[in-house]
Amino acid sequence: LEEQAAGGTLILGSTSSSNLTTVNPFFADNFPTQAINYLMFESLWSVFPDPDNNAGLLLNGQFFVPGLADYYEIAEDGKTYTFYINANAMFQDGTPVTAQDVVMVCDAQANEKSGSSYSSQFLSTLKSWTAVDDKTFQWETVDVFPQIVVFPNVFLPILPSSIWGDVPVDQWQTDPGSTGTDPSRVVG
């Protein structure tokens, strides 16, 4: 493949009747908003590594693929998941991605004052979460679940605590980093 220059313009066409409503993935609840946000923000884990072979991969149990985490382990209790964040993972501004960023995002998602429509689903599957160290994150589910039940939480896009950590969660939805009026705060 030929190396591409950094930067440029992305034009996304949509036949949806919805408009882009936010540039914060916490509040992305329509298409094209979700599509745009998931291009800008990375999560611990992702799905479908090969668009040409997704059905085949799903049949072979290869539905989930690494995102910011290189790999994960499930403890013998079936409830404790440990994620190992890529040592070189960085946000677009060059700030390293840490387990504390993941904790901040989980705390925000669990806070029903955040305005996210996904908080109740998050809380119905996850009991606790913690940063083991800078590059290791762990959570415990409320029960033993099939991975397909737990893993929608893994797709929670990670935001930098260097930008969002000091903003009260109940103000995230109207913050200039969510509305897009301050592009310096839109960092994935």
Side-chain angles (χ1 to χ4, degrees), residues 40-51:
M40 296 174 12
F41 297 91
E42 183 67 77
S43 55
L44 289 174
W45 219 243
S46 194
V47 293
F48 295 135
D50 181 359

Side-chain angles (χ1 to χ4, degrees), residues 68 85-102 134-135 158-163 187-188:
L68 291 170
I85 298 170
N86 182 293
N88 299 315
M90 303 247 180
F91 291 105
Q92 295 158 354
D93 66 354
T95 305
V97 176
T98 68
Q100 192 55 47
D101 295 311
V102 183
D134 278 351
K135 294 293 183 177
I158 307 305
L159 303 173
S161 56
S162 61
I163 292 177
V187 176

Side-chain angles (χ1 to χ4, degrees), residues 71-85:
Y71 64 99
Y72 68 95
E73 298 170 337
I74 303 173
E76 286 186 32
D77 67 5
K79 299 191 294 186
T80 305
Y81 290 67
T82 304
F83 297 89
Y84 299 90
I85 298 170

Side-chain angles (χ1 to χ4, degrees), residues 90-170:
M90 303 247 180
F91 291 105
Q92 295 158 354
D93 66 354
T95 305
V97 176
T98 68
Q100 192 55 47
D101 295 311
V102 183
V103 169
M104 179 205 64
V105 166
C106 288
D107 288 345
Q109 188 66 64
N111 188 329
E112 294 182 351
K113 293 180 181 179
S114 71
S116 171
S117 58
Y118 305 109
S119 294
S120 62
Q121 186 268 336
F122 182 84
L123 291 169
S124 71
T125 55
L126 295 183
K127 178 179 178 181
S128 64
W129 44 90
T130 188
V132 176
D133 59 40
D134 278 351
K135 294 293 183 177
T136 310
F137 170 77
Q138 192 171 73
W139 71 27
E140 182 181 354
T141 59
V142 296
D143 204 348
V144 177
F145 294 116
Q147 288 182 16
I148 196 74
V149 172
V150 175
F151 266 57
N153 296 312
V154 180
F155 307 130
L156 183 65
I158 307 305
L159 303 173
S161 56
S162 61
I163 292 177
W164 291 97
D166 292 333
V167 179
V169 173
D170 62 350

